[in-house]
Amino acid sequence: MEPFADYERHDATGLADLVRSRRVHPLELFEAAARRIEALNPRLNAIVYSDLDRARDEAAREPREGPFAGVPFLVKDLGAAVAGLPYTQGSKSRVGYVPEEDNEIVTRYRRAGLNILGKTNTPEFGLAAVTEPELHGPTRNPWNTDLTPGGSSGGSAAAVAAGMVPMAHGNDGGGSIRMPASHCGLFGLKPSRGRSTWGPDHLECWLGLAEQHALTRSVRDSALLLDATHGPAPGAPYRPTPPERPYAEELGAPPGRLRIAYTTGGLLDDRPLDPECVAAVESAARLCSELGHEVSEARPALDIPTIVDAFVTLSGAEGAFEVAESERLTGRKAGPGDVELTTWIIRVLGHKRSAVQLDQALDVARRLGQTMAAFMDRYDVLMTSTLALPSWPIGEGELGAGQRALLQVIGRAPTGPALAAVVKQLAGEILRPMPNTHLCNLTGQPAMSVPLHWTAGGLPVGVQFIARVEEEGLLFRLASQLEAARPWWDRRPKLL
C-alpha cells in the first residue's frame, strides 16, 4: 500500500479522525512513517530499536479502536517496557534484557489504538540533559544536526520534530520532557505527581520526582493522550484528584484573566540566561498581557544551595538504584566498565550519602512544595524560560582527559572531600543549562514548555509555564490560547 502523502500535515488527532472516517487506512500511515524513518533516522539516530514488522502487521489488523486508532507512535527506551524489544535505558549494563510483557503505560498506549513502531534513544538511565549515550551514540537535533535535541527524551523529541511520528512517549524527572521540547520546537507537558503510571514494575520513579507523558506538535494531542493514559496503578503512593472533565474539553475554553508571574532569571541558578532565552520570556509576557492576563515580574524566594544539594542526593539514590536494577534484571554484577563514568560517580554518591541525608533531601522537597504553594496563592501561573540557552553542539559536555582521570580515581577510592568537590562541580555544570525545570519535579507541580520563540538562526526556544498541583486543565486552557495566538504548526525543520 502506498504511503499517505499528507502524513506530516496532520497531528495524531487528525490522523486518527481520517482512519475513523475510513478516508485513510492505517497501513498508509505506517508506510508514511516507515519511509520517513528509513530516510531520516540514519542522520538523526532517534530510534534505537525498531519493530516495523510487527507494526506493519498491526496496521493491517481489524478492528481498530481507541482515540488514536492506527496512529504511528514511538516509546522511549526508559520507563516503558515493550514486550519483545530490548529495554536497555541507554546502558551497557542492561544489554541482553528483553521484557516479555508490556508495562502499564504501554498497555494504555495500545488500548488508545497507537501503533508502536520502536523505541527511542535516551541518555544512560535518563541522568543527562543530552541524549549521547555511549551504548547507542548521540541523537541529533532536526533543526541543526550538529546540535543536541536535549535529554533525556531526546530521541522521542527528534523523531517528532522530524515528522517520523506525530507524537512520542517521554518522561520527566528533572525536565526530560520539557527540555527536549524546548530544543526541538515541540509542546511538552509534565503532569502532576502521580497523574501517570509506572506500574506494574514500580509504583513511582525517581522517589516520586518523575512522571510519564509525551512530546507532541499540537496541544490537543497532548490533552487527548493524557485523557487516554492518566491514572495511578493500584497501590500507587500518590492518587491525584481526577480531572473535573476530560482534558480535551479544556481546549478552546477561556482560561480567564490569569495572574501570571514571570522571571527572566534562573530559579535554581544565579547565572544569567542567554539573551535569546530572556527575549523568549519577555515576548511571552507581552503576549500574555495582550491576551488579557495580569502579568507581573516576580519569583519565589528559594534557598538555592540547599535545594540543589537535595536534588543531588536524590539523583545519587536513583543512580545507585538503577545500577542495582541492572544487576537484578540481567543477573550480572555491574562494574565501572558496565556504565558510563559519570553514572558510576553518581552511583558512588548514592552509596556514600546516608539514609538521614536522603530523608533530609525529601524534607527539603516537601518544604519547597510549601514555599511554592504559598507563592501560587498569589499567582495562577509562574512563567520562565524552559532552559538557560538554546540548543548547543553535540559533545560539548564531554569530559576532558583531566576530568575523566580525576573521576576514575574518585570512582576507585571515593574520599569525602574529593567526592564532595566533584559533585559540586558536576551539579553546577548540570544546572547551568537547565536551572528552571527541576523545581516542579521536587514539588510535584505540572509544567509545560511551549514553543513560542525562535532565534535569528532559526532555533526554537521554549517558554515554561508552571501551575498549582493538579491544575493541568488550566495549563491546557492557557496553552490552547497561546497556540491560537502564536501558532507554531508550520515551523518545521527542512531535513528532506
Side-chain angles (χ1 to χ4, degrees):
M1 188 171 286
E2 288 298 308
F4 178 48
D6 289 336
Y7 175 71
E8 202 186 352
R9 296 183 185 179
H10 298 271
D11 63 0
T13 304
L15 292 175
D17 288 343
L18 292 171
V19 170
R20 246 187 316 275
S21 64
R22 297 194 175 275
R23 285 176 286 172
V24 173
H25 194 281
L27 272 173
E28 296 177 81
L29 302 185
F30 168 81
E31 292 297 345
R35 292 265 183 106
R36 293 191 71 82
I37 289 170
E38 181 182 6
L40 298 175
N41 199 56
R43 296 173 60 187
L44 298 177
N45 192 34
I47 301 169
V48 292
Y49 300 116
S50 173
D51 201 15
L52 294 182
D53 289 341
R54 189 217 56 80
R56 183 181 286 106
D57 292 341
E58 176 64 24
R61 188 179 61 82
E62 296 277 1
R64 293 176 293 275
E65 300 177 351
F68 293 108
V71 175
F73 191 71
L74 291 165
V75 171
K76 178 181 177 182
D77 188 34
L78 190 150
V82 178
L85 288 183
Y87 188 23
T88 59
Q89 302 203 124
S91 179
K92 291 177 285 186
S93 68
R94 296 272 173 101
V95 169
Y97 174 59
V98 179
E100 297 179 356
E101 297 180 353
D102 295 337
N103 69 2
E104 178 61 22
I105 192 71
V106 174
T107 297
R108 294 179 187 184
Y109 290 144
R110 295 199 197 277
R111 191 182 301 135
L114 291 164
N115 190 6
I116 297 172
L117 275 60
K119 302 195 78 177
T120 59
N121 204 6
T122 181
E124 187 168 53
F125 302 135
L127 292 170
V130 295
T131 303
E132 302 174 21
E134 292 177 3
L135 178 62
H136 297 301
T139 296
R140 299 182 177 276
N141 192 325
W143 293 90
N144 182 333
T145 54
D146 292 329
L147 306 181
T148 179
S152 63
S153 305
S156 289
V160 175
M164 297 181 194
V165 290
M167 62 181 181
H169 164 247
N171 36 48
D172 190 315
S176 290
I177 287 175
R178 291 161 287 158
M179 291 187 290
S182 178
H183 282 321
C184 293
L186 303 174
F187 179 77
L189 173 86
K190 181 201 82 71
S192 296
R193 179 171 293 148
R195 186 70 73 192
S196 62
T197 179
W198 297 91
D201 298 328
H202 306 291
L203 295 179
E204 66 176 6
C205 186
W206 274 70
L207 296 160
L209 270 62
E211 288 297 317
Q212 310 254 39
H213 194 35
L215 286 299
T216 68
R217 274 218 179 96
S218 69
V219 175
R220 70 175 183 171
D221 280 356
S222 184
L224 191 59
L225 184 64
L226 193 57
D227 280 330
T229 59
H230 77 81
Y238 313 107
R239 307 191 70 81
T241 305
E244 294 182 359
R245 58 180 176 173
Y247 293 119
E249 292 184 10
E250 304 291 356
L251 306 176
R257 188 168 191 260
L258 301 176
R259 300 166 298 168
I260 299 178
Y262 77 93
T263 177
T264 57
L267 295 174
L268 298 181
D269 192 288
D270 291 327
R271 288 168 286 189
L273 274 60
D274 184 276
E276 290 285 4
C277 296
V278 173
V281 174
E282 292 176 339
S283 175
R286 290 192 296 271
L287 174 61
C288 289
S289 182
E290 292 166 4
L291 292 171
H293 301 298
E294 180 185 331
V295 181
S296 56
E297 193 165 5
R299 57 180 293 156
L302 303 174
D303 183 351
I304 294 176
T306 298
I307 295 168
V308 170
D309 188 67
F311 192 86
V312 167
T313 297
L314 297 171
S315 299
E318 179 65 19
F321 171 80
E322 290 295 353
V323 175
E325 274 291 277
S326 291
E327 295 176 336
R328 182 182 71 85
L329 293 170
T330 65
R332 302 190 304 264
K333 186 71 175 175
D338 297 308
V339 296
E340 297 171 22
L341 183 54
T342 302
T343 300
W344 189 256
I345 295 301
I346 293 172
R347 172 193 175 275
V348 169
L349 172 68
H351 282 282
K352 284 290 183 180
R353 295 212 168 175
S354 67
V356 171
Q357 288 173 303
L358 177 60
D359 197 24
Q360 289 172 334
L362 291 170
D363 189 60
V364 168
R366 289 187 286 265
R367 286 187 283 112
L368 178 59
Q370 291 178 313
T371 299
M372 289 303 299
F375 182 81
M376 302 302 286
D377 276 343
R378 290 177 282 139
Y379 301 99
D380 300 300
V381 174
L382 172 60
M383 180 173 63
T384 73
S385 175
T386 305
L387 292 164
L389 62 162
S391 183
W392 53 88
I394 287 172
E396 189 172 89
E398 289 183 1
L399 298 171
Q403 289 176 307
R404 183 168 288 275
L406 176 60
L407 291 183
Q408 287 172 338
V409 171
I410 293 172
R412 289 192 297 267
T415 62
L419 181 61
V422 167
V423 166
K424 183 177 180 179
Q425 179 186 357
L426 285 175
E429 292 175 358
I430 290 170
L431 280 172
R432 171 65 189 118
M434 49 179 188
N436 293 329
T437 55
H438 293 75
L439 181 142
C440 294
N441 300 92
L442 290 164
T443 63
Q445 293 171 258
M448 63 183 182
S449 180
V450 185
L452 295 177
H453 182 77
W454 266 258
T455 70
L459 293 178
V461 176
V463 178
Q464 177 178 239
F465 297 82
I466 302 167
R468 301 181 191 93
V469 172
E470 300 186 2
E471 289 197 349
E472 290 92 336
L474 182 150
L475 290 180
F476 279 127
R477 292 194 296 275
L478 176 59
S480 176
Q481 184 185 51
L482 294 170
E483 185 180 36
R486 190 176 291 176
W488 55 81
W489 178 261
D490 290 332
R491 289 184 178 269
R492 306 289 179 89
K494 296 179 173 62
L495 278 173
L496 291 179

